[in-house]
């Protein structure tokens, strides 16, 4: 459904639906969820007909729920005031109680929350209700949302989130999505600034990343340097400027981008070596295509293919067969645009 429930999947350990599972799978599912919560290994069921197969004694219901409560407190308790953490815990509990009591899972889940987390019951019960209402809204409006463009769809989805969860809670639940869209919007604005040369665009990009991520900007950049760098290099305006540079200036500019993304000296050396290999490959490709076109003007059929095999082997060595297969399928890799720093 347009990925509108992706946020739930990212916040949870797995996909959860308000639809209960099939009855014949509930025992295994409940055991797996409980094992995940407690950190215990999930045992494999004995094969049918196994002789003297050990039969695990089921835990008493109250003891099992107490074990679940303690494991949740250990795992989530320190941050249970955060809506995103609350939601991850609720998603796990939904799977557990859907497996435990398919017909009464919501009632049993709420009873468990009331007993296990009395001080936070109201907040947890409200979030559970809002989460289920949001899922219903997405499903009910699927066809409508598909008919909107991306900007209209984003607006409609956020209107629903703010209405169902409240603006502050929705912003905290989908904080990563908000940051992602802020980065995308910033890059779009930079790409439209033809008056800014590459160094100034790079400086503005880093400054905006700092505004978006705040105190966590350095850590976020350290975790995702490649993705952050590629987003900038993929801007058409950046590629146009790199294309118009002499090779030495282009190499300096690529190094400056990578330095700005926090790459260390060793990584910078590896990238420089890779750039040189790519440059050599593209130069070989350019010369090959020129020679190929010249041969195609004078030869045809088997004679042309025989000469092309020789030329491909001369330029590409062990990759010659791959190039031939690509061309047979209609793909000519060296007619595609060069993406500096990317291919």
């Amino acid at each position: 459904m347009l990925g509108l429930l992706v946020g739930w999947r990212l916040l949870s350990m797995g996909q959860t639906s308000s639809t209960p599972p099939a009855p014949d799978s509930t025992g295994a599912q409940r055991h797996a969820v409980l094992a995940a919560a407690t950190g215990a290994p999930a045992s494999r069921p004995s094969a049918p007909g196994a002789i003297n197969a050990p039969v695990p004694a089921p835990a008493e219901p109250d003891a099992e729920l107490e074990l679940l409560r303690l494991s949740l407190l250990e795992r989530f308790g320190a941050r249970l005031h955060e809506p995103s953490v609350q939601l991850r815990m609720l998603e796990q509990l939904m799977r557990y109680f859907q497996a435990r009591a398919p017909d009464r899972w919501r009632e049993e889940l709420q009873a468990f929350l009331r007993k296990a987390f009395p001080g936070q019951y109201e907040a947890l019960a409200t979030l559970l209700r809002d989460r289920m209402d949001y899922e219903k809204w997405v499903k009910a409006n699927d066809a409508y949302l598909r008919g909107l463009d991306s900007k209209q769809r984003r607006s409609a989805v956020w209107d629903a989130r703010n209405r169902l969860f409240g603006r502050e809670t929705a912003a905290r639940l989908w904080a990563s999505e908000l940051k992602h869209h802020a980065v995308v919007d910033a890059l779009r604005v930079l790409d439209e600034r033809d008056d800014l040369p590459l160094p100034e665009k790079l400086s503005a990009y880093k400054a905006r990343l700092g505004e978006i991520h705040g105190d966590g900007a350095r850590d976020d950049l350290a975790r995702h340097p490649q993705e952050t760098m590629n987003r900038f290099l993929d801007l058409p305006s950046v590629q146009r400027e790199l294309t118009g540079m002499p090779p030495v200036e282009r190499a300096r500019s690529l190094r400056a981008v990578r330095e700005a993304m926090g790459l260390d000296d060793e990584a910078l050396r590896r990238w420089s070596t890779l750039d040189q290999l790519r440059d050599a490959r593209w130069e070989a490709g350019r010369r090959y295509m020129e020679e190929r076109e010249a041969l195609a003007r004078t030869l045809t059929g088997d004679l042309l293919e025989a000469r092309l095999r020789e030329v491909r082997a001369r330029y590409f060595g062990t990759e010659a067969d791959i190039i031939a297969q690509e061309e047979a399928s209609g793909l000519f890799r060296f007619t595609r645009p060069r993406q500096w720093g990317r291919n």
Side-chain angles (χ1 to χ4, degrees):
M1 288 179 293
L2 302 171
L4 296 176
L5 286 175
V6 166
W8 298 124
R9 299 187 186 108
L10 292 176
L11 290 168
S12 65
M13 293 175 58
Q15 186 173 355
T16 302
S17 170
S18 56
T19 304
D24 60 354
S25 65
T26 56
Q29 289 188 20
R30 191 173 89 248
H31 177 73
V33 173
L34 182 61
T38 60
S43 60
R44 184 184 300 274
S46 301
I51 300 176
N52 296 326
V55 179
E60 292 295 327
D62 288 346
E64 183 175 304
L65 292 179
E66 178 62 12
L67 177 62
L68 179 61
R69 183 186 73 85
L70 292 174
S71 68
L72 293 172
L73 283 173
E74 181 179 0
R75 182 173 183 181
F76 300 111
R79 299 177 59 201
L80 202 52
H81 60 283
E82 299 177 16
S84 60
V85 176
Q86 293 175 356
L87 187 58
R88 281 200 297 271
M89 186 183 76
L90 287 173
E91 293 278 358
Q92 185 168 311
L93 286 171
M94 286 175 68
R95 289 192 298 277
Y96 174 81
F97 282 100
Q98 285 171 356
R100 175 187 172 97
D103 297 328
R104 289 180 41 81
W105 70 267
R106 187 169 181 177
E107 292 85 346
E108 291 206 9
L109 170 53
Q110 289 174 321
F112 173 79
L113 292 175
R114 186 179 289 108
K115 183 177 180 180
F117 304 99
Q120 294 161 301
Y121 170 73
E122 292 299 331
L124 292 170
T126 298
L127 185 57
L128 175 64
R129 179 202 66 204
D130 295 343
R131 177 252 184 266
M132 295 181 66
D133 287 346
Y134 177 66
E135 181 179 346
K136 291 177 183 176
W137 179 87
V138 171
K139 291 179 179 178
N141 290 275
D142 181 51
Y144 164 71
L145 292 168
R146 288 181 184 276
L148 303 178
D149 62 34
S150 59
K151 185 176 181 180
Q152 293 170 329
R153 189 180 306 122
R154 192 200 304 187
S155 177
V157 167
W158 273 101
D159 284 346
R161 290 171 177 174
N162 291 334
R163 173 171 49 82
L164 291 170
F165 294 91
R167 188 173 299 274
E168 181 180 351
T169 298
R172 293 171 70 180
L173 287 173
W174 281 280
S176 61
E177 182 181 321
L178 285 172
K179 290 178 180 178
H180 168 76
H181 285 306
V183 172
V184 170
D185 292 342
L187 286 168
R188 187 188 67 252
V189 170
L190 284 175
D191 195 37
E192 294 170 353
R193 291 289 304 275
D194 293 331
D195 58 312
L196 289 181
L198 190 149
E200 293 185 29
K201 284 187 177 180
L202 178 60
S203 178
Y205 179 47
K206 279 207 68 177
R208 185 68 182 114
L209 289 175
E211 295 170 358
I212 292 169
H213 295 287
D215 294 338
R218 184 183 296 274
D219 291 339
D220 185 80
L221 186 57
R223 286 193 301 269
H224 310 289
Q226 183 81 38
E227 179 183 354
T228 308
M229 177 175 67
N230 288 345
R231 284 177 171 177
F232 181 76
L233 289 175
D234 285 343
L235 293 180
S237 62
V238 170
Q239 285 295 319
R240 286 195 300 270
E241 189 167 351
L242 288 170
T243 298
M245 293 178 180
V248 173
E249 183 183 355
R250 182 164 50 242
R252 283 199 300 263
S253 295
L254 287 171
R255 182 182 177 90
V257 171
R258 292 160 182 160
E259 285 180 332
M261 297 301 108
L263 273 64
D264 58 25
D265 289 342
E266 183 180 351
L268 291 171
R269 284 193 294 271
R270 290 198 303 269
W271 273 107
S272 178
T273 300
L274 180 59
D275 286 340
Q276 293 171 30
L277 291 173
R278 286 171 169 172
D279 289 346
R281 185 170 60 202
W282 277 89
E283 176 59 20
R286 183 190 66 79
R287 291 160 56 195
Y288 163 72
M289 290 302 296
E290 289 180 352
E291 196 164 340
R292 189 186 198 285
E293 291 169 5
L295 289 171
R297 286 194 292 268
T298 58
L299 300 175
T300 59
D302 292 341
L303 285 177
L304 174 60
E305 184 53 38
R307 289 296 305 278
L308 287 178
R309 278 197 298 271
E310 296 174 5
V311 176
R312 283 193 292 261
R314 174 157 38 92
Y315 280 111
F316 305 116
T318 57
E319 279 194 289
D321 288 342
I322 297 175
I323 300 294
Q325 292 170 13
E326 290 178 353
E327 292 180 356
S329 69
L331 172 63
F332 292 83
R333 66 168 69 178
F334 297 108
T335 62
R336 296 177 299 169
R338 176 77 190 270
Q339 292 290 108
W340 303 104
R342 300 285 278 132
N343 65 10

